[in-house]
Amino acid sequence: MTIEKNLAGTELTVAITGRLDTTTAPQLEAELKQSLSGIEKLVLDFAALEYLSSAGLRVLLQAQKTMNKQGEMII
């Protein structure tokens, strides 16, 4: 899995390529935890995502809870 981040003001776009599974979910979780402070709009680009497991869904739900408090999240 590769993660590309693009910050434009208070909008963060995160593009994920490859597989988001039990092995790679902790990497995305760490990236999001350190990046979401001050973000009002989170855009997750899954155009090149090949696979999403329940571990990946858990990370997305956690990000949604954070963004519900400070803005919006778009997949």
Side-chain angles (χ1 to χ4, degrees):
M1 176 182 76
T2 59
I3 300 171
E4 293 182 30
K5 297 188 293 186
N6 184 18
L7 181 62
T10 59
E11 180 178 327
L12 176 65
T13 300
V14 179
I16 301 171
T17 303
R19 297 174 57 91
L20 180 53
D21 55 22
T22 305
T23 306
T24 58
Q27 179 186 356
L28 178 60
E29 183 176 20
E31 288 281 343
L32 290 176
K33 278 186 179 179
Q34 75 179 24
S35 301
L36 292 183
S37 180
I39 299 299
E40 295 176 5
K41 183 176 182 180
L42 173 63
V43 178
L44 298 172
D45 180 356
F46 289 167
L49 186 66
E50 297 170 7
Y51 176 77
L52 176 63
S53 75
S54 60
L57 287 174
R58 182 188 56 79
V59 173
L60 298 181
L61 290 172
Q62 189 174 28
Q64 180 65 59
K65 286 181 182 179
T66 300
M67 292 310 299
N68 282 343
K69 297 175 186 172
Q70 64 192 53
E72 66 178 323
M73 181 172 101
I74 298 170
I75 297 176

